[in-house]
Amino acid sequence: QVQLVESGGGLVQPGGSLRLSCAASGSIVTIYAMGWYRQAPGNQRELVAAITNRGNTNYADSVKGRFTISRDNAKNLVYLQMNSLKPEDTAVYYCNADLLRIVPTGTGRMDYWGKGTLVTVSS
C-alpha cells in the first residue's frame, strides 16, 4: 500500500502565502517525480509544479516566480511554497508521485494521487 497525504491548505488573503506539504508512505522503493496539481470548480486538473528526484523543476506559467516546489528525498516529502497568492489560485491542490513500489511479484512503477487540500484565496 502507498499513501500520499497533503496538508497546509486553508484560507488566505490575496498577496498572502501558504506552504503545502505532501508525505508519501508505504512500500516505496524510490520516487522518480513528485508534483502538485490543482483543480478549480468547473476546470480540468492542471499541473502547478513538478520536481524530479534529481531536483529538476517545472512550473506552470501562471505560478512562475510566485511558487516554489522542493522535496526531501530521504523522507519522501514534497513541498509547495506559494507566495503572492491570487484569487485565481483558489483550487483543490493534489499531490502526485511517480514511484516504484514493492508488489507481490517484485516491483512495479505506478502513479499515485493524494486526496487533495483546499486552498482559498479571498479577502
Side-chain angles (χ1 to χ4, degrees):
Q1 297 285 345
V2 171
Q3 281 190 319
L4 301 183
V5 179
E6 304 101 332
S7 61
L11 174 64
V12 63
Q13 292 186 341
S17 298
L18 279 177
R19 188 192 196 208
L20 304 183
S21 301
C22 173
S25 63
S27 53
I28 298 169
V29 176
T30 190
I31 302 178
Y32 299 108
M34 301 187 80
W36 289 95
Y37 289 71
R38 67 186 180 187
Q39 188 168 17
N43 290 356
Q44 291 186 334
R45 191 172 297 189
E46 62 176 1
L47 174 68
V48 176
I51 184 168
T52 70
N53 53 0
R54 296 185 178 185
N56 297 316
T57 58
N58 182 40
Y59 294 93
D61 287 343
S62 59
V63 306
K64 284 180 181 177
R66 300 188 297 123
F67 291 10
T68 302
I69 190 170
S70 60
R71 64 187 282 181
D72 183 332
N73 290 334
K75 298 181 179 179
N76 292 338
L77 294 167
V78 64
Y79 305 99
L80 186 68
Q81 178 66 43
M82 305 186 292
N83 299 329
S84 303
L85 282 160
K86 305 175 181 179
E88 50 264 44
D89 294 318
T90 296
V92 177
Y93 284 70
Y94 297 92
C95 177
N96 174 267
D98 172 18
L99 57 84
L100 188 71
R101 61 161 291 195
I102 298 171
V103 295
T105 54
T107 58
R109 185 167 182 169
M110 300 179 185
D111 204 55
Y112 283 88
W113 292 89
K115 293 183 179 181
T117 184
L118 177 63
V119 172
T120 303
V121 185
S122 175
S123 55

